[in-house]
Amino acid sequence: MSLSPRHIVSFVCATAIIVAVMAPGLNNNALAASQTSAIAAKIRSYPIRNFRIGSKETKFGPLTFVAGMELRSSARPFGSMSGFRFLDQGNRFIGVTDSGFWYFGTIERDEAGRPTGMSDFWMQPIANASGGIDGEKQKVDAEALAIRGTEATVGFEREHRIATFDISPDNIAPGEMAGETVRLDFLVPRHELRRNKGFETVAYAPDNSPLKGARIAIAERSIDREGNIFAAILEGPRKGIFKVVRHGLFDITAGTFLPNGDLLLLERSFTMADGVKMRLRRIAGQTIAKGRTVDGDVLFESDLSYQIDNMEGLDSWVDGEGRLRISIVSDDNHSILQRNLYLEFILDE
């Protein structure tokens, strides 16, 4: 049977992700250890005006596509962007990579508020509690990031842990990022966490929500006997383990709380036949509590007929006109067959 161009692209993308997962030595395992100081990176941006390939439509369910860009750099550490959060509303950002780096920068915008590039971009290895840099993949695989005030909470998989870091203004400067300060009790029994399917989501709930500002953590694909995904509320009045229903072959790669307390989940699947897919699912905030198994409506699902890749980072924010925007980034696994993407949408409420 002959293969269409779409199936060829699907095969290549799926193969690239499989290689990255099965052969972590290709994923810059010791890169953080070899790079002991901060590095500035010049980012080249290539605009994405149409989210669906070959179509000018902008409306996708409750989402309106604003714009996107493909990001490239000759800086060796650049890529593998797993966690992404804004430090303000749509401008300065902070992130973590699964190769063990922090990254920082600013989104450049045109007069219409559409993203056009990234500037002031720099990276620095994530330091451990002693201030040193670990070189083993299992110790630096940062996948999840949450921000509140001057504290960053990072979720790591393989060597499963959730740790906090000080991001006071004096610390957010090249060469100044200090090591972890506190390790949190993530509540989920360690034996229930799969080696490469641990915590991919850490997020702060709004203070005025039923969770009262608590942090939650959700695994990528660490499942119970019924096939539900392990998650935990790490503090507050509803502290305890809960589960998230898993649908099909989709894994959870990121999450963000919306202003009304609902939880937006970014999910990804891939197969050799269909390639990579992306999905956004919304969980009602009032349903999240100790002992519950939660589910929610799918807002949108896309495949390789859209401008997506291995989408892993997510944040939500309110723009100057009061509109709720959703930002998503991809992890290219440091593979020449994948892309670093930044996509931005307006979520109609």
Side-chain angles (χ1 to χ4, degrees):
M1 181 181 69
S2 62
L3 294 176
S4 67
R6 176 178 177 273
H7 281 95
I8 292 172
V9 172
S10 298
F11 177 83
V12 169
C13 289
T15 302
I17 295 177
I18 290 171
V19 168
V21 171
M22 297 300 293
L26 300 178
N27 202 19
N28 285 3
N29 291 14
L31 183 55
S34 66
Q35 180 67 50
T36 58
S37 60
I39 181 172
K42 183 177 181 180
I43 308 300
R44 302 186 303 277
S45 303
Y46 302 86
I48 298 173
R49 297 300 185 199
N50 300 317
F51 180 48
R52 186 167 188 174
I53 298 171
S55 172
K56 293 184 178 181
E57 64 182 303
T58 59
K59 192 71 174 175
F60 305 94
L63 297 168
T64 300
F65 182 62
V66 177
M69 47 192 174
E70 180 180 347
L71 308 167
R72 301 178 190 174
S73 176
S74 60
R76 186 184 173 201
F78 179 73
S80 287
M81 297 186 292
S82 295
F84 176 91
R85 300 290 183 187
F86 279 110
L87 292 167
D88 52 25
Q89 300 298 295
N91 295 304
R92 296 185 305 125
F93 60 81
I94 179 176
V96 293
T97 77
D98 62 20
S99 54
F101 280 84
W102 295 102
Y103 64 89
F104 300 84
T106 300
I107 298 290
E108 298 177 342
R109 298 183 179 276
D110 62 17
E111 294 181 355
R114 295 173 299 198
T116 58
M118 286 184 177
S119 60
D120 302 321
F121 193 96
W122 58 277
M123 305 178 71
Q124 182 174 327
I126 299 174
N128 57 32
S130 301
I133 306 300
D134 295 311
E136 298 177 49
K137 174 68 172 178
Q138 65 180 17
K139 293 183 178 181
V140 300
D141 192 351
E143 299 284 354
L145 175 66
I147 299 294
R148 172 159 291 178
T150 60
E151 183 178 70
T153 303
V154 180
F156 297 83
E157 65 177 9
R158 299 179 195 261
E159 186 178 283
H160 305 293
R161 66 191 188 278
I162 297 176
T164 63
F165 296 80
D166 183 4
I167 56 168
S168 301
D170 290 343
N171 285 345
I172 304 182
E176 299 299 325
M177 285 294 293
E180 64 180 72
T181 54
V182 176
R183 288 197 181 183
L184 304 179
D185 180 0
F186 48 71
L187 304 182
V188 177
R190 190 175 293 273
H191 71 269
E192 295 288 4
L193 296 172
R194 310 302 183 264
R195 181 174 180 272
N196 195 29
K197 299 294 180 182
F199 293 115
E200 289 260 347
T201 296
V202 178
Y204 280 96
D207 290 335
N208 61 354
S209 72
L211 294 176
K212 304 298 182 183
R215 279 168 288 198
I216 67 160
I218 305 176
E220 178 183 6
R221 197 207 308 166
S222 293
I223 56 178
D224 64 12
R225 292 182 179 180
E226 287 72 44
N228 300 313
I229 299 169
F230 277 98
I233 304 161
L234 302 182
E235 59 224 336
R238 296 190 173 190
K239 179 179 178 179
I241 296 172
F242 69 102
K243 311 283 181 63
V244 181
V245 175
R246 183 173 187 248
H247 291 292
L249 299 177
F250 279 89
D251 299 329
I252 297 172
T253 59
T256 181
F257 277 98
L258 305 179
N260 73 344
D262 286 353
L263 176 64
L264 187 65
L265 294 178
L266 174 66
E267 300 177 307
R268 173 207 60 218
S269 75
F270 68 88
T271 65
M272 295 298 288
D274 297 324
V276 182
K277 293 184 178 181
M278 179 191 83
R279 184 168 71 186
L280 287 170
R281 182 165 42 139
R282 185 171 184 162
I283 309 294
Q286 65 267 24
T287 66
I288 302 173
K290 178 182 178 180
R292 297 272 186 88
T293 298
V294 303
D295 197 359
D297 295 332
V298 173
L299 301 187
F300 178 70
E301 183 177 319
S302 60
D303 56 21
L304 285 173
S305 62
Y306 296 80
Q307 292 279 10
I308 66 168
D309 206 281
N310 177 34
M311 312 310 294
E312 288 210 359
L314 173 72
D315 201 12
S316 59
W317 51 284
V318 178
D319 67 16
E321 298 180 28
R323 298 172 299 185
L324 183 58
R325 296 207 185 197
I326 306 298
S327 295
I328 309 175
V329 298
S330 69
D331 171 3
D332 72 338
N333 291 306
H334 286 290
S335 168
I336 62 172
L337 301 177
Q338 294 177 257
R339 298 183 295 165
N340 295 293
L341 302 178
Y342 174 89
L343 304 175
E344 193 168 291
F345 302 85
I346 294 171
L347 178 59
D348 299 330
E349 291 285 82

